[in-house]
Amino acid sequence: MMMQPAVTMQPAVTVQPAPYSPPPTPRMEPWGSAIFDCFENMSVCCLGFWCPSCLMCSTSQEMEEGFLLPLVDVGCPTMAMGTCIPGFLVCLPLTISPIALALRVAMRERYHIKGSVADDCLVTTFCNVCSWCQMAREIRLRRRPVVNNTQVTIVNMAAQYPVAPVGAAVPPMVSVVTS
């Protein structure tokens, strides 16, 4: 008669894995300034009016993208040409500015700004320089130093331990007492 090995029982699973919960979505905020609020920052407004390519390049650099990246859009028909409607002071662009659109979408995602790609597409197509001005103002607004109202106490340690002049004999800090 053969002996059969003893059967050992495996412990039952007592803890089930937790259900998946997606990370909380960040709170979406509006733009810091409206698209036509150019007079909130006159330096940005003037730069956008007199030298929009300079504004585009500096804004791109402040977004930590390529400094000359917006110059790709300058050759784009949106910037170079337009269909002017007789009797109106409006030029309708022929295409979308791809770099302006990409940087605007990236800025919205980075700073959790309300909006959509369709809104960005319309703004960068029909109000391109104003769009760049708004992005420049937003960067300056978001990079403003945050004031922390916590109180800091500075302890002057030099007052407790006087410094001996150079070359002077320094007394020992610990006295040895022998009995």
Side-chain angles (χ1 to χ4, degrees):
M1 189 163 149
M2 279 177 90
M3 290 197 67
Q4 293 186 352
V7 177
T8 58
M9 300 291 289
Q10 296 292 328
V13 176
T14 57
V15 178
Q16 294 292 327
Y20 173 74
S21 61
T25 55
R27 195 180 91 218
M28 302 301 272
E29 299 177 359
W31 285 91
S33 63
I35 189 73
F36 298 117
D37 283 346
C38 281
F39 296 109
E40 277 190 17
N41 187 328
M42 284 305 292
S43 63
V44 170
C45 179
C46 288
L47 191 59
F49 181 77
W50 295 109
C51 188
S53 296
C54 296
L55 174 69
M56 293 172 189
C57 290
S58 67
T59 303
S60 177
Q61 185 178 27
E62 289 176 12
M63 287 183 65
E64 298 172 356
E65 298 293 338
F67 177 71
L68 299 176
L69 184 63
L71 295 182
V72 174
D73 272 354
V74 172
C76 182
T78 302
M79 296 293 291
M81 304 180 316
T83 305
C84 291
I85 301 172
F88 294 100
L89 296 174
V90 176
C91 287
L92 297 176
L94 299 175
T95 62
I96 298 169
S97 298
I99 304 303
L101 177 61
L103 290 179
R104 189 172 174 88
V105 170
M107 179 176 283
R108 265 193 328 95
E109 292 297 317
R110 181 181 299 171
Y111 295 134
H112 307 292
I113 298 173
K114 289 180 187 176
S116 67
V117 176
D119 294 340
D120 295 336
C121 185
L122 288 172
V123 168
T124 56
T125 301
F126 295 105
C127 306
N128 198 2
V129 175
C130 291
S131 168
W132 280 102
C133 288
Q134 184 184 33
M135 289 190 292
R137 287 190 309 269
E138 194 70 29
I139 288 174
R140 285 162 178 75
L141 178 73
R142 301 282 178 155
R143 291 204 177 155
R144 186 182 308 156
V146 177
V147 177
N148 190 354
N149 290 330
T150 60
Q151 190 174 18
V152 177
T153 304
I154 299 174
V155 178
N156 188 355
M157 297 299 287
Q160 294 177 3
Y161 303 105
V163 178
V166 176
V170 179
M173 297 298 284
V174 178
S175 301
V176 179
V177 179
T178 57
S179 37

